[in-house]
Amino acid sequence: MTDARDLVAIHDPDDPRIAAYRAVRERDVVGRGERFVAEGEVVLRLLLGPSCRHRVESALIAKSRLPALADLLCALPPEAPLYAASQAVMDAAVGFHIHRGVLAIGRRAEAQDAAALLSELPPEALVVALVGVSNHDNVGGVFRNTAAFGADAVLLDASSCDPLYRKAIRVSVGASLITPFARGGSGAELMDALDAAGFRTVALSPAGKTRLDEIEPAPRTALLLGAEGPGLPTALMARARSTARIDMVAGFDSLNVAVTSGVALYAMTRGGVRPR
Amino acid sequence: MTDARDLVAIHDPDDPRIAAYRAVRERDVVGRGERFVAEGEVVLRLLLGPSCRHRVESALIAKSRLPALADLLCALPPEAPLYAASQAVMDAAVGFHIHRGVLAIGRRAEAQDAAALLSELPPEALVVALVGVSNHDNVGGVFRNTAAFGADAVLLDASSCDPLYRKAIRVSVGASLITPFARGGSGAELMDALDAAGFRTVALSPAGKTRLDEIEPAPRTALLLGAEGPGLPTALMARARSTARIDMVAGFDSLNVAVTSGVALYAMTRGGVRPR
């Protein structure tokens, strides 16, 4: 292992060199500014891969995991330190048991607004726009589906949660590191940007007028999703080119928003999934 | 409120009458035998409704929630005590903050095996069979989708998690209380029961031979799903009448199993969702 990559042995959980890894859950709450935390081998692989839009700052790996990860860790750029610690030191620094023994700190790419992001997409594009989706699991799940079905980008209004929040990255299985996204503004501003970029907007709602399978995807299609419970604001529903519903049993609670995104992306890509 | 239903005021978190509510998380680990915990108003409504297959034993409600829940609590059968406590007493008994202030203890209906359950289904039926799905969120998510798309029942092998585990009920939004299920045996035994009952078995897998949208639902169709990662055992894939895949971008991790169930149920019910 050490042939391939210098590593910095850490013996003290209070070592200032691993300060960014300390009290991970507490910092989830206060936020990390430009930094984010990546957990687990699959996510680290995406963070170090060619599709990642962000930069790795350092990695902290349990010593016992180093042999199995040797090849992967060679992809860590020379300026990013590789810290190695015993599982016990790692757990003590982080504040809970990291049972996969793999953590990294990333630094986010410069943020883009929705208009700038949409202007970079190809003439045929499929995007997902989230309004008021503040649950980390749901945002992570939407990103996972977006990557699986080869959609091009995700837009999020300011009230939706940060896709680089630790749990959102984990639930996305790293998809939020490789999928272009823009977050900010209101739902109406996202709609303005989508209209200006020539997207056919399809608002998903149990109250949608058209059955999802009757929606014909346009060259540029945007799927709009709101939070469970409130759903999409009425004004956005009214502005959307189409409103689509997934037929369900009357009286039962609606689908989870991540599941809805999976079903809608499946329906929109039934002509075949394009590699991005 | 008290006009409609006698309530038992609880002032001490250690009151033995609410012993079943004590240390909820710790008991999640050791199990509750025939009992289960239902959380939140939506789940309580299903637990007290006509579709519930199980029995309510008691409810513990934060005093502040009583006025809003008065109508619902009238449906609590007379033999089931209604305990009322301050939020502080409730939280102290339970061991964490119950921010919705609504808990109930249920007692599960007598278990059925897969063959007995399938024999009670109508001639046209859609079921979901889970093999090795041990994650509570995923099992809860599958039940939520099953109820939303009007599928008739869920079968689970012994290694899949209990649908009446607290978190599974919560994630299912109560669907696991109203959906007939049988849990036990091996995947091969579930397959035996499905074959004997005349079900067309469709195994979902990224390695499936047929594209999901090309599968024609039979009068009796069973969707087989395995755990993320290992997927369905090879022997079950070989025995299934069809193997179906959801087309995805190559190289990215597969879909979450709950999302897969949602997409597959959507595809199987495209001719229209039947009320159960």
Side-chain angles (χ1 to χ4, degrees):
Chain A
M1 171 67 229
T2 46
D3 313 348
R5 183 60 166 78
D6 286 340
L7 53 80
V8 182
I10 301 288
H11 303 287
D12 174 2
D14 293 324
D15 190 317
R17 292 174 292 184
I18 58 161
Y21 295 91
R22 216 143 41 218
V24 161
R25 285 201 177 120
E26 287 75 1
R27 293 206 199 174
D28 286 344
V29 178
V30 298
R32 293 182 172 83
E34 295 311 301
R35 290 199 176 91
F36 59 86
V37 175
E39 301 165 290
E41 180 179 346
V42 175
V43 172
L44 181 61
R45 198 170 292 280
L46 288 172
L47 177 60
L48 299 180
S51 308
C52 185
R53 307 176 60 77
H54 311 280
R55 197 155 61 75
V56 64
E57 208 169 78
S58 68
L60 171 61
I61 310 290
K63 276 183 200 159
S64 59
R65 295 300 313 280
L66 288 171
L69 297 173
D71 286 348
L72 173 58
L73 293 169
C74 287
L76 200 64
E79 69 276 12
L82 169 55
Y83 301 114
S86 68
Q87 185 76 50
V89 167
M90 186 171 185
D91 292 352
V94 169
F96 57 95
H97 176 56
I98 299 292
H99 70 280
R100 288 170 183 141
V102 175
L103 285 176
I105 300 288
R107 185 172 280 266
R108 64 176 77 215
E110 206 174 324
Q112 269 186 314
D113 70 12
L117 172 56
L118 294 176
S119 74
E120 292 180 359
L121 298 183
E124 301 209 358
L126 176 59
V127 310
V128 175
L130 303 181
V131 177
V133 181
S134 56
N135 177 288
H136 303 120
D137 290 275
N138 285 340
V139 168
V142 168
F143 271 83
R144 182 171 177 179
N145 297 339
T146 300
F149 286 108
D152 298 275
V154 179
L155 307 183
L156 307 97
D157 76 332
S159 72
S160 293
C161 102
D162 178 9
L164 300 187
Y165 181 88
R166 180 172 65 92
K167 197 175 182 192
I169 297 176
R170 190 179 67 213
V171 173
S172 83
V173 205
S176 60
L177 300 178
I178 59 172
T179 304
F181 69 83
R183 175 170 170 256
S186 65
E189 286 166 324
L190 296 188
M191 190 70 103
D192 291 342
L194 287 164
D195 285 344
F199 277 80
R200 174 180 180 150
T201 48
V202 178
L204 270 292
S205 163
K209 289 204 188 79
T210 308
R211 246 174 52 185
L212 175 63
D213 59 305
E214 288 164 353
I215 299 276
E216 282 303 319
R220 303 196 121 189
T221 300
L223 296 168
L224 271 66
L225 294 158
E228 288 173 52
L232 285 166
T234 318
L236 287 189
M237 290 283 287
R239 276 190 63 183
R241 274 278 296 284
S242 317
T243 61
R245 67 174 189 279
I246 297 169
D247 277 341
M248 283 179 288
V249 171
F252 188 72
D253 205 68
S254 64
L255 293 174
N256 163 275
V257 62
V259 174
T260 303
S261 75
V263 171
L265 286 162
Y266 169 77
M268 289 300 115
T269 57
R270 58 184 184 263
V273 170
R274 288 175 299 115
R276 197 187 289 148
Chain B
M1 173 64 231
T2 46
D3 312 349
R5 183 60 165 79
D6 287 339
L7 53 80
V8 181
I10 301 288
H11 303 288
D12 174 3
D14 293 324
D15 190 316
R17 292 173 294 183
I18 58 162
Y21 295 91
R22 215 144 39 219
V24 161
R25 284 201 178 120
E26 287 74 1
R27 293 207 199 173
D28 286 344
V29 178
V30 298
R32 292 183 173 81
E34 294 311 300
R35 289 200 176 91
F36 59 87
V37 175
E39 300 164 292
E41 181 180 345
V42 175
V43 172
L44 181 62
R45 199 171 291 281
L46 288 173
L47 177 60
L48 299 180
S51 309
C52 185
R53 308 176 60 78
H54 312 280
R55 196 156 63 74
V56 64
E57 208 169 78
S58 68
L60 171 61
I61 311 290
K63 276 182 199 160
S64 60
R65 296 299 313 280
L66 288 170
L69 298 173
D71 287 348
L72 173 59
L73 292 170
C74 288
L76 200 63
E79 70 276 12
L82 170 55
Y83 301 114
S86 68
Q87 185 78 48
V89 167
M90 187 171 184
D91 293 352
V94 170
F96 57 95
H97 177 54
I98 299 291
H99 71 281
R100 287 169 182 141
V102 175
L103 284 176
I105 300 289
R107 186 172 280 267
R108 63 177 77 215
E110 205 174 326
Q112 268 186 315
D113 69 13
L117 172 56
L118 294 176
S119 74
E120 292 180 0
L121 297 183
E124 301 209 358
L126 176 60
V127 310
V128 175
L130 302 181
V131 177
V133 180
S134 56
N135 177 287
H136 303 118
D137 291 274
N138 286 341
V139 168
V142 168
F143 271 84
R144 182 172 177 180
N145 297 339
T146 299
F149 286 109
D152 297 274
V154 179
L155 307 184
L156 307 97
D157 76 332
S159 72
S160 293
C161 102
D162 178 10
L164 299 186
Y165 181 87
R166 180 172 65 92
K167 198 175 181 194
I169 297 176
R170 190 178 70 216
V171 173
S172 83
V173 204
S176 60
L177 300 178
I178 60 171
T179 305
F181 69 83
R183 175 171 170 255
S186 65
E189 286 166 322
L190 296 188
M191 190 71 103
D192 291 341
L194 289 164
D195 285 344
F199 276 79
R200 176 182 177 147
T201 46
V202 179
L204 271 292
S205 163
K209 287 204 188 79
T210 308
R211 245 175 51 185
L212 176 62
D213 60 305
E214 288 164 354
I215 299 276
E216 282 303 318
R220 303 195 121 190
T221 300
L223 297 168
L224 271 65
L225 294 159
E228 288 174 50
L232 285 166
T234 319
L236 287 188
M237 290 284 288
R239 277 189 63 182
R241 273 277 296 283
S242 318
T243 60
R245 67 175 189 278
I246 297 168
D247 277 341
M248 282 179 288
V249 171
F252 189 71
D253 205 68
S254 65
L255 292 174
N256 163 274
V257 63
V259 174
T260 302
S261 75
V263 170
L265 287 162
Y266 169 76
M268 290 299 114
T269 57
R270 60 185 183 263
V273 170
R274 287 175 299 115
R276 196 185 290 148

